[in-house]
């Protein structure tokens, strides 16, 4: 009798201990995962002289961007109530039967540093994107101007953390960026994949074949522009261009959301089959003052200073 009670007590005690340990271990692993996720999203895992890990970091980032549409759903379809309405109506308007961006002044102007993709390469990409997406999206799509294809690198000032500057300070920034460009060699890059984000942005995601890694370029720009916002808009490793923004529903026989999502995936796959693997050379870094919000993306007012990548030893 006494023995049975002791065993029972011991048993319930052990169960409690096991339970407490399980909880501790579970918490430990979820904290560890959180820490790992954070370190990768902040770009701490990349080191400047390790191109392989930068490449891996980009791949992981692109995998995540690729999953975004399924994980977060096609937000660009949700807001537009009918086939006529535009989901991003605060940026675009339908005027005389065509989509026009609405320009809003950026105050203070955004100062962006971007790698520039010359029309020699951007025009064929743009044509392919139009050929695949235009039949299905008609007016519910905005195509990036092919004269302004760019890779956003580093902001001297952005809309989240504005850093006002006098004309002299702007000149000094531009000079410093010019000096960075002088020391950089041209980049040969390859289109890794095209992805469509849940917000309807059609992006090209690139890998570096030769030349400086974006992580290195951003680090050089950061030290040339010490007043720039600590927190930048993108991951240090990313190398992406925007091709188009989807603004509404595709023209398909059924307005069933799953059908529309399926068509969107199909079109991305079709564009991938045409342009994935394209190789291009980047040979210009631009310092751009954007006087309108998203001027580079929406043909707004801007002033650019163009610097050739000089490949000089510094
Ligand atoms: C595209 O950009 C170029 C260069 O800024 C400009 O001259 C041209 O007008 C733009 N095209 C459209 C359709 O806005």
């Amino acid at each position: 009798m006494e023995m049975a009670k002791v065993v029972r007590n011991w048993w319930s005690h052990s169960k409690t201990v096991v339970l407490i340990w399980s909880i501790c271990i579970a918490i430990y692993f979820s904290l560890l995962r959180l820490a790992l996720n954070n370190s990768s999203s902040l770009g701490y895992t990349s080191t400047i002289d390790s191109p392989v890990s930068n490449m891996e970091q980009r791949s992981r980032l692109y995998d995540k961007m690729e999953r975004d549409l399924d994980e977060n759903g096609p937000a660009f379809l949700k807001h537009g109530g009918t086939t006529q309405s535009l989901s991003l109506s605060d940026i675009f308007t339908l005027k005389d039967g065509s989509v026009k961006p609405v320009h809003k002044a950026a105050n203070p102007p955004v100062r962006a540093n971007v790698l520039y993709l010359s029309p020699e390469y951007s025009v064929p990409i743009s044509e392919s994107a139009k050929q695949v997406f235009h039949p299905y999206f008609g007016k519910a799509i905005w195509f990036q101007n092919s004269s302004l294809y760019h890779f956003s690198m580093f902001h001297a000032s952005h809309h989240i953390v504005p850093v006002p500057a006098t004309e002299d300070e702007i000149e000094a920034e531009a000079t410093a960026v010019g000096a960075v460009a002088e020391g950089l060699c041209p980049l040969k890059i390859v289109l890794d994949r095209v992805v469509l984000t849940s917000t309807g942005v059609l992006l090209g995601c690139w890998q570096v074949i030769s030349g400086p890694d974006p992580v290195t370029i951003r680090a050089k720009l950061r030290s040339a522009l010490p007043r720039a916002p600590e927190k930048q808009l993108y991951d240090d490793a990313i190398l992406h261009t925007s091709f188009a923004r989807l603004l509404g529903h595709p023209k398909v026989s059924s307005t069933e959301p799953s059908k529309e999502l399926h068509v969107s995936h199909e079109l991305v796959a079709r564009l991938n089959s045409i342009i994935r693997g394209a190789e291009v050379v980047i040979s210009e870094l631009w310092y751009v003052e954007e006087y309108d919000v998203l001027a580079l993306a929406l043909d707004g007012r801007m002033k650019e200073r163009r610097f050739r990548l000089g490949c000089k030893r510094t």
Side-chain angles (χ1 to χ4, degrees):
M1 197 62 179
E2 218 23 47
M3 193 60 196
K5 195 171 167 197
V6 168
V7 169
R8 209 166 45 237
N9 274 347
W10 172 82
W11 177 238
S12 82
H13 175 72
S14 320
K15 272 200 300 197
T16 314
V17 170
V18 168
L19 185 69
I20 290 174
W21 270 108
S22 310
I23 292 172
C24 288
I25 291 169
I27 291 176
Y28 172 78
F29 276 105
S30 35
L31 285 179
L32 185 69
R33 242 187 45 203
L34 208 66
L36 289 177
N37 278 347
N38 274 346
S39 67
S40 69
S41 67
L42 291 174
Y44 291 153
T45 50
S46 57
T47 46
I48 283 171
D49 32 25
S50 169
V52 173
S53 76
N54 292 336
M55 188 177 270
E56 274 169 13
Q57 190 181 337
R58 270 191 291 280
S59 284
R60 280 202 301 273
L61 198 60
Y62 299 161
D63 289 345
K64 198 165 135 197
M65 289 158 72
E66 208 166 29
R67 289 195 304 268
D68 176 53
L69 182 58
D70 285 323
E71 286 176 0
N72 295 316
F76 64 97
L77 294 177
K78 282 189 185 122
H79 305 302
T82 69
T83 45
Q84 298 300 316
S85 67
L86 303 178
S87 59
L88 299 174
S89 51
D90 52 336
I91 312 184
F92 294 96
T93 173
L94 206 53
K95 209 193 231 162
D96 309 325
S98 66
V99 184
K100 296 261 160 62
V102 178
H103 292 132
K104 283 190 212 126
N107 203 357
V110 165
R111 303 193 299 283
N113 294 280
V114 304
L115 291 171
Y116 178 67
L117 188 61
S118 85
E120 174 188 356
Y121 303 111
S122 64
V123 169
I125 292 174
S126 177
E127 305 268 289
S128 301
K130 282 180 185 157
Q131 177 202 321
V132 171
F133 278 84
H134 188 263
Y136 286 85
F137 282 87
K139 290 179 187 101
I141 188 167
W142 168 260
F143 290 100
Q144 167 74 35
N145 183 335
S146 59
S147 311
L148 293 171
Y149 270 40
H150 62 279
F151 307 80
S152 187
M153 284 288 115
F154 191 81
H155 282 78
S157 175
H158 54 57
H159 62 291
I160 301 167
V161 183
V163 180
T166 63
E167 294 217 358
D168 286 348
E169 286 166 336
I170 290 172
E171 284 309 323
E173 281 183 356
T175 305
V177 170
V180 170
E182 229 4 64
L184 292 171
C185 292
L187 291 80
K188 189 171 183 194
I189 62 172
V190 58
L191 183 60
D192 185 79
R193 67 191 92 173
V194 176
V195 305
L196 178 61
T197 69
S198 63
T199 52
V201 185
L202 189 66
L203 295 173
C205 299
W206 303 75
Q207 280 290 5
V208 179
I209 298 174
S210 68
D213 198 274
V215 171
T216 310
I217 297 173
R218 290 188 171 102
K220 290 191 171 177
L221 288 168
R222 185 182 285 285
S223 56
L225 301 167
R227 296 174 62 231
E230 175 67 28
K231 193 153 170 50
Q232 289 286 316
L233 303 180
Y234 304 106
D235 189 288
D236 272 353
I238 202 170
L239 187 61
H240 72 300
T241 43
S242 113
F243 298 153
R245 278 154 208 264
L246 304 187
L247 310 172
H249 297 257
K251 291 178 211 152
V252 283
S253 49
S254 128
T255 53
E256 181 114 351
S258 66
K259 175 83 179 156
E260 293 181 333
L261 183 58
H262 180 72
V263 166
S264 306
H265 276 301
E266 285 280 295
L267 296 178
V268 172
R270 201 177 298 170
L271 184 57
N272 261 310
S273 72
I274 303 172
I275 63 175
R276 182 177 217 164
E279 292 180 7
V280 308
V281 174
I282 303 173
S283 47
E284 281 182 24
L285 177 64
W286 287 15
Y287 175 89
V288 184
E289 291 171 75
E290 293 179 279
Y291 302 122
D292 286 321
V293 174
L294 291 171
L296 271 162
L298 306 179
D299 288 327
R301 293 168 304 141
M302 55 180 239
K303 173 180 174 182
E304 81 274 12
R305 293 171 173 83
R306 309 174 175 217
F307 301 106
R308 291 200 73 76
L309 303 181
C311 212
K312 294 234 171 74
R313 284 195 172 271
T314 46

